[in-house]
Structure formats: structure tokens, C-alpha cells
Amino acid sequence: MDADEARKALDLARKHDENGNIEAALKWARKSVAIYSTPEAMALFTRLKEKGTQGTPSADSGASSAPKETVYMATKTETRKTDAEGPRSEYTEQQVEVVRRVKRAGGDFYAVLNVQKTATDTEVKKSYKKLALQLHPDKNRAPGADEAFKLVSKAFTVLSDKDKRSMYDKFGGDPESRFGAASSSASAHPFAQFQSTRMRPGAEMDPEDLFNMFFGGGMGGGPFGTTPVFTFGGPGMRTHYYRPGTRTRQAGQQSAQNASQTAMWFQVLPLLILLFCTMLSYLPNLFTVSDPDFRWRPTALHRAQRTTLDHGISYFVDPVAFAKHPYVTATTKATRHGGSVQRFSSDKSSSELRAFERRVEEAWMKELYRQCDSAQEYKRRRMLDAQGFFGFGANKDKLEKIRSEVYESCEQLEHLFGIRLR
């Protein structure tokens, strides 16, 4: 970006030089060298400067009567910004090069701090300290030094935090703006305690505060225009620095964080209510006893046959598990307390056991209903086939035989439970 601007300024300088306007050409040549020094721009600037000192027409005519503007001069070793009517402030070519390198790195925080991806926290801290001293606005007056200083501070806040550095390595970009990540724990690195109070989700690290944390201010009377505040108490007198607006900014951040937490609870509340209602629906099952396992036909495990008391429905249970079931043990204990021992085949006085057998009979009724309905549906399809197509090809004998069929499931359903399907 700087190279393009410098090229444009160089083209304008050449155009004015061709038109004989040495003063304008010298102005644009100076600007090109100040933005991005190149051999072509330096050669043109030197040639135009020599023309101006030799009194070339229109080079500096009338310059003594007109106020001189601020210009940029570059040599092989330094770049100088001078003001003919005011004090002079200098910045070296090395300072300009540091600014250019940092700005060219852009969003690559490792390149900004000039460290490898495998750099330790100590190496990151050391590189930041060096660059912060080189780019501090009070020491470096080169164009873009302030933006480069902020970029270096941003890179350090990310790479010095273990969690943010991990997210940056995986996804790239600024972890704070991409994920809203919070600061790391207090043991992550030596400055985590500072970050825990400043680098909340969505909060921006103040580059000047970060610099003060390292170097303790000292750039002038107070760090970056802060006001010294003296406090007494304890051994000696302590000096603190207060930045106007810092407490207001912190209060706004705290208010935004509280609002974010409130909104989060409102979003989670419906899920909590749903979870609570679900737990209530399962609550009765925690205090009820499941029925014993049974089958309609004997198996290797379910080999003990039982019959219900009301309708005499046969079913088969596991004798060992059934004898240990609470329905049965409760009945056995009651009879033993009376001085007698109840046998396995006659334990039908328990109300829980009677209720269980009624559920067995209800299950058998549903099973008979399913079998009978399936048989009736099969019977209807066969009768339709025997009737033919609108009476053509009908087989009356087969039709009568199918109509007279009787199914055991339907007979038992009607005999035991009084339900008749036709």
C-alpha cells in the first residue's frame, strides 16, 4: 500500500520535472521518499535538490518571502521531518522500516512480533517489549507508528494468552472478535491477572495500559497523559496513575457483561423448565415396582406355569426371579407371621399380586383381539377372491367353506371377555 502511494508521488514529481516546475517536482519527490524510499525516488530527489541549490529557475524563487511548508527529507542513513518555522523532530530510517514491517505483517500476529509459531511465552514477551519501545508514539515519529504500536499490542494480547493463541492457531483472525473468547486463567502467564480485569469478552485491550504494565509509565510526567495520584498508608507513600475515563469504560464493560448474562439466562430458562417437567414425568416410576416378567409359552427360563385367579389365563414365569419379587415376598412374610408358610402355588392373597394378574389378563385380551382381527381380515380377503369379478367366476362351495371357518382366538375372546368380532 505504501509502495503504491510512493509510486504515485514519484510519477507526479517526474511530470512536474518535465514541465520545468522544479519546486513542485521537489515537493512530490520528498513525499515519495518519505512514504517509501526507493533508489529511483532518491536519485530524482537528489538531482532536484541540486538544481534548487544552484538557483535553477522556478526552483525556489520567492521562497524567502513566502512561508515554508513542512517537508520530508531522506538520506541514506535517516529520514528527517523539518519545519522552517518551528522545532525539528527526527525519525530514523530504521524506525520507518520497523513501522513498514509491522504494517506489512497485517493480521499475522507471529509476523507482527517477529517470532516463530513455536515461540515460548518468554520469547513473545521479549519481542513485544522490544517492539513497544521502538514504536511508542513518544519515541517514534514515523508515519504510521501509532497504528503499528496498536497492532503490536493486539498481537501480544492474543499470543500471550494460551486459549486465544490456541484458537488463533486453529482458525486465524482475531479470537476476541471471532469467538468472543474470555481471558485465560490466572496461571496462564505472568500478566493474566491484568487481563482478567481488562480483557473480558468483547473488551479491547488498551495498548497504552499494556505498555504501562511493562514499563510503569515514565514517558513524561505521567504515562500517556495520565494524572499522578498519591495515596498514603502502610510503609511509605505510593504513587498510582489515573487515566480519565478509565473507570467509565470499565463500568460500561461491566454493565454490558451483566446485560449479556441476563440475556443468556432468559435463553436457557425454557430449556430448564422443559427438563424439570421431564423429570417430573419420570418421578412416579422411581417409587413403583415393575411387574414380574412373564411369557405365554414356556421357555428355558420361564418354565413355571401359573394361572390367573379370575379367568384362569395360563402364563409362564421364571420361578427363581418370581419367588424373589416383592409381590410374592410380601405375601410370604405375611403368612409366616401368622405361623404358617405359604407354598409357591398358592400365593394369591397379596393385593399387589392380584393386581398384577389382572394386568396379565388384560394383556391376554389384547393379544386375542390382535389374533382374531388378523384372522378375520385374512378371511375377508379370501372371500372376496372366491366371489369373483362381479359374480363372474364365483366358487360358491369355497365361499361357504370359508364363511363357516371358526377361529380359536375369536372364540376365546368372546368366551372369556364377551368381545365378539365379525
Side-chain angles (χ1 to χ4, degrees), residues 393-422:
N395 191 337
K396 294 182 179 181
D397 295 337
K398 183 178 180 181
L399 186 61
E400 289 298 328
K401 182 180 179 180
I402 296 173
R403 186 179 286 113
S404 61
E405 288 179 354
V406 178
Y407 303 105
E408 183 180 359
S409 58
C410 297
E411 293 294 323
Q412 288 190 27
L413 185 63
E414 184 177 1
H415 175 70
L416 294 175
F417 305 103
I419 300 177
R420 184 175 182 181
L421 293 180
R422 288 291 185 270

mmCIF file of all heavy atoms in Angstrom, residues 393-422:
data_model
loop_
_atom_site.group_PDB
_atom_site.id
_atom_site.type_symbol
_atom_site.label_atom_id
_atom_site.label_comp_id
_atom_site.label_asym_id
_atom_site.label_seq_id
_atom_site.Cartn_x
_atom_site.Cartn_y
_atom_site.Cartn_z
ATOM 1 N N GLY A 393 -67.122 -66.103 -12.339
ATOM 2 C CA GLY A 393 -66.083 -66.996 -11.842
ATOM 3 C C GLY A 393 -66.172 -67.249 -10.357
ATOM 4 O O GLY A 393 -65.170 -67.620 -9.731
ATOM 5 N N ALA A 394 -67.357 -67.098 -9.764
ATOM 6 C CA ALA A 394 -67.523 -67.313 -8.325
ATOM 7 C C ALA A 394 -67.501 -68.808 -8.011
ATOM 8 O O ALA A 394 -68.024 -69.622 -8.767
ATOM 9 C CB ALA A 394 -68.821 -66.685 -7.845
ATOM 10 N N ASN A 395 -66.907 -69.127 -6.847
ATOM 11 C CA ASN A 395 -66.853 -70.512 -6.361
ATOM 12 C C ASN A 395 -67.669 -70.574 -5.074
ATOM 13 O O ASN A 395 -67.190 -70.250 -3.987
ATOM 14 C CB ASN A 395 -65.400 -70.908 -6.110
ATOM 15 C CG ASN A 395 -65.243 -72.390 -5.859
ATOM 16 O OD1 ASN A 395 -66.198 -73.060 -5.447
ATOM 17 N ND2 ASN A 395 -64.041 -72.910 -6.097
ATOM 18 N N LYS A 396 -68.942 -71.018 -5.213
ATOM 19 C CA LYS A 396 -69.859 -70.983 -4.074
ATOM 20 C C LYS A 396 -69.437 -71.955 -2.986
ATOM 21 O O LYS A 396 -69.573 -71.651 -1.788
ATOM 22 C CB LYS A 396 -71.266 -71.281 -4.544
ATOM 23 C CG LYS A 396 -71.833 -70.216 -5.468
ATOM 24 C CD LYS A 396 -73.271 -70.547 -5.866
ATOM 25 C CE LYS A 396 -73.855 -69.464 -6.775
ATOM 26 N NZ LYS A 396 -75.267 -69.763 -7.157
ATOM 27 N N ASP A 397 -68.960 -73.122 -3.358
ATOM 28 C CA ASP A 397 -68.570 -74.103 -2.344
ATOM 29 C C ASP A 397 -67.401 -73.577 -1.505
ATOM 30 O O ASP A 397 -67.400 -73.688 -0.266
ATOM 31 C CB ASP A 397 -68.162 -75.416 -3.017
ATOM 32 C CG ASP A 397 -69.348 -76.082 -3.728
ATOM 33 O OD1 ASP A 397 -70.495 -75.780 -3.332
ATOM 34 O OD2 ASP A 397 -69.112 -76.855 -4.673
ATOM 35 N N LYS A 398 -66.435 -73.008 -2.192
ATOM 36 C CA LYS A 398 -65.287 -72.461 -1.468
ATOM 37 C C LYS A 398 -65.703 -71.282 -0.595
ATOM 38 O O LYS A 398 -65.212 -71.102 0.518
ATOM 39 C CB LYS A 398 -64.219 -72.021 -2.476
ATOM 40 C CG LYS A 398 -62.945 -71.512 -1.844
ATOM 41 C CD LYS A 398 -61.929 -71.147 -2.912
ATOM 42 C CE LYS A 398 -60.647 -70.622 -2.276
ATOM 43 N NZ LYS A 398 -59.642 -70.244 -3.308
ATOM 44 N N LEU A 399 -66.661 -70.512 -1.116
ATOM 45 C CA LEU A 399 -67.128 -69.350 -0.371
ATOM 46 C C LEU A 399 -67.829 -69.775 0.915
ATOM 47 O O LEU A 399 -67.613 -69.181 1.979
ATOM 48 C CB LEU A 399 -68.077 -68.529 -1.257
ATOM 49 C CG LEU A 399 -68.553 -67.179 -0.686
ATOM 50 C CD1 LEU A 399 -67.373 -66.260 -0.432
ATOM 51 C CD2 LEU A 399 -69.548 -66.534 -1.649
ATOM 52 N N GLU A 400 -68.675 -70.822 0.847
ATOM 53 C CA GLU A 400 -69.379 -71.297 2.030
ATOM 54 C C GLU A 400 -68.411 -71.899 3.037
ATOM 55 O O GLU A 400 -68.569 -71.747 4.254
ATOM 56 C CB GLU A 400 -70.432 -72.323 1.629
ATOM 57 C CG GLU A 400 -71.623 -71.738 0.901
ATOM 58 C CD GLU A 400 -72.383 -70.738 1.760
ATOM 59 O OE1 GLU A 400 -72.414 -70.921 3.012
ATOM 60 O OE2 GLU A 400 -72.917 -69.752 1.222
ATOM 61 N N LYS A 401 -67.399 -72.593 2.541
ATOM 62 C CA LYS A 401 -66.425 -73.207 3.432
ATOM 63 C C LYS A 401 -65.651 -72.142 4.201
ATOM 64 O O LYS A 401 -65.410 -72.277 5.412
ATOM 65 C CB LYS A 401 -65.474 -74.068 2.613
ATOM 66 C CG LYS A 401 -64.452 -74.801 3.453
ATOM 67 C CD LYS A 401 -63.541 -75.653 2.568
ATOM 68 C CE LYS A 401 -62.498 -76.384 3.407
ATOM 69 N NZ LYS A 401 -61.592 -77.214 2.569
ATOM 70 N N ILE A 402 -65.269 -71.089 3.505
ATOM 71 C CA ILE A 402 -64.531 -70.010 4.180
ATOM 72 C C ILE A 402 -65.418 -69.311 5.191
ATOM 73 O O ILE A 402 -64.996 -68.969 6.305
ATOM 74 C CB ILE A 402 -63.984 -69.011 3.143
ATOM 75 C CG1 ILE A 402 -62.965 -69.687 2.223
ATOM 76 C CG2 ILE A 402 -63.351 -67.806 3.829
ATOM 77 C CD1 ILE A 402 -62.500 -68.823 1.075
ATOM 78 N N ARG A 403 -66.691 -69.115 4.829
ATOM 79 C CA ARG A 403 -67.612 -68.404 5.707
ATOM 80 C C ARG A 403 -67.857 -69.181 7.002
ATOM 81 O O ARG A 403 -68.099 -68.592 8.065
ATOM 82 C CB ARG A 403 -68.931 -68.147 4.982
ATOM 83 C CG ARG A 403 -69.889 -67.286 5.800
ATOM 84 C CD ARG A 403 -71.185 -67.024 5.048
ATOM 85 N NE ARG A 403 -70.972 -66.049 3.974
ATOM 86 C CZ ARG A 403 -71.057 -66.342 2.679
ATOM 87 N NH1 ARG A 403 -71.320 -67.594 2.277
ATOM 88 N NH2 ARG A 403 -70.868 -65.429 1.759
ATOM 89 N N SER A 404 -67.781 -70.498 6.937
ATOM 90 C CA SER A 404 -68.061 -71.335 8.110
ATOM 91 C C SER A 404 -66.825 -71.546 8.994
ATOM 92 O O SER A 404 -66.929 -72.214 10.033
ATOM 93 C CB SER A 404 -68.579 -72.707 7.656
ATOM 94 O OG SER A 404 -67.605 -73.385 6.867
ATOM 95 N N GLU A 405 -65.698 -71.014 8.648
ATOM 96 C CA GLU A 405 -64.499 -71.202 9.455
ATOM 97 C C GLU A 405 -64.640 -70.494 10.807
ATOM 98 O O GLU A 405 -65.199 -69.393 10.899
ATOM 99 C CB GLU A 405 -63.268 -70.652 8.718
ATOM 100 C CG GLU A 405 -62.846 -71.496 7.537
ATOM 101 C CD GLU A 405 -61.649 -70.921 6.813
ATOM 102 O OE1 GLU A 405 -61.220 -69.794 7.184
ATOM 103 O OE2 GLU A 405 -61.147 -71.563 5.869
ATOM 104 N N VAL A 406 -64.153 -71.157 11.841
ATOM 105 C CA VAL A 406 -64.186 -70.620 13.199
ATOM 106 C C VAL A 406 -62.743 -70.539 13.708
ATOM 107 O O VAL A 406 -61.979 -71.493 13.532
ATOM 108 C CB VAL A 406 -65.043 -71.491 14.136
ATOM 109 C CG1 VAL A 406 -65.010 -70.927 15.563
ATOM 110 C CG2 VAL A 406 -66.483 -71.583 13.634
ATOM 111 N N TYR A 407 -62.408 -69.450 14.384
ATOM 112 C CA TYR A 407 -61.052 -69.238 14.858
ATOM 113 C C TYR A 407 -61.029 -69.264 16.374
ATOM 114 O O TYR A 407 -61.883 -68.664 17.043
ATOM 115 C CB TYR A 407 -60.502 -67.901 14.349
ATOM 116 C CG TYR A 407 -60.544 -67.798 12.839
ATOM 117 C CD1 TYR A 407 -61.504 -67.008 12.217
ATOM 118 C CD2 TYR A 407 -59.656 -68.524 12.055
ATOM 119 C CE1 TYR A 407 -61.562 -66.914 10.837
ATOM 120 C CE2 TYR A 407 -59.714 -68.444 10.662
ATOM 121 C CZ TYR A 407 -60.671 -67.643 10.069
ATOM 122 O OH TYR A 407 -60.741 -67.561 8.698
ATOM 123 N N GLU A 408 -60.021 -69.957 16.907
ATOM 124 C CA GLU A 408 -59.932 -70.157 18.357
ATOM 125 C C GLU A 408 -59.752 -68.845 19.102
ATOM 126 O O GLU A 408 -60.319 -68.641 20.182
ATOM 127 C CB GLU A 408 -58.767 -71.091 18.673
ATOM 128 C CG GLU A 408 -58.650 -71.420 20.147
ATOM 129 C CD GLU A 408 -57.499 -72.349 20.442
ATOM 130 O OE1 GLU A 408 -56.802 -72.752 19.500
ATOM 131 O OE2 GLU A 408 -57.291 -72.671 21.634
ATOM 132 N N SER A 409 -58.949 -67.948 18.550
ATOM 133 C CA SER A 409 -58.730 -66.670 19.228
ATOM 134 C C SER A 409 -60.029 -65.890 19.362
ATOM 135 O O SER A 409 -60.295 -65.275 20.402
ATOM 136 C CB SER A 409 -57.701 -65.849 18.457
ATOM 137 O OG SER A 409 -58.125 -65.615 17.122
ATOM 138 N N CYS A 410 -60.865 -65.914 18.340
ATOM 139 C CA CYS A 410 -62.145 -65.198 18.406
ATOM 140 C C CYS A 410 -63.079 -65.859 19.411
ATOM 141 O O CYS A 410 -63.823 -65.178 20.139
ATOM 142 C CB CYS A 410 -62.778 -65.157 17.025
ATOM 143 S SG CYS A 410 -61.798 -64.252 15.793
ATOM 144 N N GLU A 411 -63.045 -67.214 19.469
ATOM 145 C CA GLU A 411 -63.899 -67.926 20.410
ATOM 146 C C GLU A 411 -63.495 -67.615 21.846
ATOM 147 O O GLU A 411 -64.347 -67.371 22.704
ATOM 148 C CB GLU A 411 -63.814 -69.432 20.142
ATOM 149 C CG GLU A 411 -64.402 -69.860 18.811
ATOM 150 C CD GLU A 411 -65.905 -69.625 18.760
ATOM 151 O OE1 GLU A 411 -66.572 -69.822 19.797
ATOM 152 O OE2 GLU A 411 -66.402 -69.235 17.695
ATOM 153 N N GLN A 412 -62.190 -67.619 22.136
ATOM 154 C CA GLN A 412 -61.730 -67.317 23.487
ATOM 155 C C GLN A 412 -62.017 -65.863 23.860
ATOM 156 O O GLN A 412 -62.368 -65.559 25.011
ATOM 157 C CB GLN A 412 -60.218 -67.576 23.598
ATOM 158 C CG GLN A 412 -59.832 -69.039 23.598
ATOM 159 C CD GLN A 412 -58.368 -69.231 23.944
ATOM 160 O OE1 GLN A 412 -57.790 -68.397 24.645
ATOM 161 N NE2 GLN A 412 -57.787 -70.324 23.468
ATOM 162 N N LEU A 413 -61.865 -64.969 22.919
ATOM 163 C CA LEU A 413 -62.145 -63.557 23.197
ATOM 164 C C LEU A 413 -63.589 -63.344 23.590
ATOM 165 O O LEU A 413 -63.907 -62.590 24.522
ATOM 166 C CB LEU A 413 -61.786 -62.718 21.958
ATOM 167 C CG LEU A 413 -61.905 -61.201 22.100
ATOM 168 C CD1 LEU A 413 -60.945 -60.673 23.145
ATOM 169 C CD2 LEU A 413 -61.642 -60.517 20.753
ATOM 170 N N GLU A 414 -64.507 -64.065 22.903
ATOM 171 C CA GLU A 414 -65.927 -63.934 23.228
ATOM 172 C C GLU A 414 -66.272 -64.675 24.512
ATOM 173 O O GLU A 414 -67.069 -64.174 25.329
ATOM 174 C CB GLU A 414 -66.766 -64.483 22.069
ATOM 175 C CG GLU A 414 -68.259 -64.311 22.270
ATOM 176 C CD GLU A 414 -69.051 -64.788 21.072
ATOM 177 O OE1 GLU A 414 -68.424 -65.260 20.098
ATOM 178 O OE2 GLU A 414 -70.296 -64.701 21.109
ATOM 179 N N HIS A 415 -65.653 -65.859 24.723
ATOM 180 C CA HIS A 415 -65.978 -66.656 25.902
ATOM 181 C C HIS A 415 -65.435 -66.032 27.186
ATOM 182 O O HIS A 415 -66.133 -65.985 28.215
ATOM 183 C CB HIS A 415 -65.422 -68.076 25.732
ATOM 184 C CG HIS A 415 -65.594 -68.939 26.939
ATOM 185 N ND1 HIS A 415 -66.813 -69.396 27.363
ATOM 186 C CD2 HIS A 415 -64.667 -69.392 27.839
ATOM 187 C CE1 HIS A 415 -66.665 -70.110 28.477
ATOM 188 N NE2 HIS A 415 -65.360 -70.130 28.778
ATOM 189 N N LEU A 416 -64.183 -65.545 27.164
ATOM 190 C CA LEU A 416 -63.562 -65.035 28.389
ATOM 191 C C LEU A 416 -63.929 -63.590 28.681
ATOM 192 O O LEU A 416 -64.139 -63.220 29.847
ATOM 193 C CB LEU A 416 -62.029 -65.156 28.264
ATOM 194 C CG LEU A 416 -61.463 -66.560 28.205
ATOM 195 C CD1 LEU A 416 -59.956 -66.530 27.961
ATOM 196 C CD2 LEU A 416 -61.758 -67.326 29.494
ATOM 197 N N PHE A 417 -64.003 -62.766 27.645
ATOM 198 C CA PHE A 417 -64.165 -61.333 27.876
ATOM 199 C C PHE A 417 -65.431 -60.759 27.262
ATOM 200 O O PHE A 417 -65.697 -59.559 27.375
ATOM 201 C CB PHE A 417 -62.943 -60.580 27.324
ATOM 202 C CG PHE A 417 -61.639 -61.078 27.891
ATOM 203 C CD1 PHE A 417 -60.815 -61.888 27.155
ATOM 204 C CD2 PHE A 417 -61.253 -60.711 29.168
ATOM 205 C CE1 PHE A 417 -59.610 -62.351 27.671
ATOM 206 C CE2 PHE A 417 -60.048 -61.150 29.690
ATOM 207 C CZ PHE A 417 -59.214 -61.978 28.959
ATOM 208 N N GLY A 418 -66.239 -61.593 26.573
ATOM 209 C CA GLY A 418 -67.502 -61.120 25.990
ATOM 210 C C GLY A 418 -67.338 -60.179 24.825
ATOM 211 O O GLY A 418 -68.226 -59.380 24.563
ATOM 212 N N ILE A 419 -66.226 -60.268 24.119
ATOM 213 C CA ILE A 419 -65.967 -59.394 22.975
ATOM 214 C C ILE A 419 -66.089 -60.261 21.714
ATOM 215 O O ILE A 419 -65.438 -61.316 21.589
ATOM 216 C CB ILE A 419 -64.564 -58.759 23.053
ATOM 217 C CG1 ILE A 419 -64.454 -57.922 24.338
ATOM 218 C CG2 ILE A 419 -64.291 -57.912 21.812
ATOM 219 C CD1 ILE A 419 -63.081 -57.324 24.529
ATOM 220 N N ARG A 420 -66.923 -59.784 20.779
ATOM 221 C CA ARG A 420 -67.177 -60.559 19.562
ATOM 222 C C ARG A 420 -66.820 -59.717 18.343
ATOM 223 O O ARG A 420 -67.298 -58.584 18.186
ATOM 224 C CB ARG A 420 -68.648 -60.988 19.499
ATOM 225 C CG ARG A 420 -68.987 -61.885 18.320
ATOM 226 C CD ARG A 420 -70.411 -62.335 18.416
ATOM 227 N NE ARG A 420 -70.747 -63.242 17.326
ATOM 228 C CZ ARG A 420 -71.971 -63.791 17.166
ATOM 229 N NH1 ARG A 420 -72.940 -63.515 18.037
ATOM 230 N NH2 ARG A 420 -72.191 -64.605 16.150
ATOM 231 N N LEU A 421 -65.979 -60.277 17.466
ATOM 232 C CA LEU A 421 -65.587 -59.593 16.247
ATOM 233 C C LEU A 421 -66.201 -60.305 15.059
ATOM 234 O O LEU A 421 -66.109 -61.535 14.935
ATOM 235 C CB LEU A 421 -64.058 -59.578 16.099
ATOM 236 C CG LEU A 421 -63.268 -58.754 17.121
ATOM 237 C CD1 LEU A 421 -61.791 -58.842 16.829
ATOM 238 C CD2 LEU A 421 -63.735 -57.298 17.107
ATOM 239 N N ARG A 422 -66.836 -59.589 14.203
ATOM 240 C CA ARG A 422 -67.417 -60.159 12.968
ATOM 241 C C ARG A 422 -67.063 -59.269 11.775
ATOM 242 O O ARG A 422 -66.992 -58.076 11.887
ATOM 243 C CB ARG A 422 -68.956 -60.256 13.080
ATOM 244 C CG ARG A 422 -69.401 -61.347 14.034
ATOM 245 C CD ARG A 422 -69.073 -62.740 13.445
ATOM 246 N NE ARG A 422 -69.594 -63.820 14.273
ATOM 247 C CZ ARG A 422 -68.878 -64.369 15.257
ATOM 248 N NH1 ARG A 422 -67.657 -63.928 15.498
ATOM 249 N NH2 ARG A 422 -69.396 -65.347 15.998
#
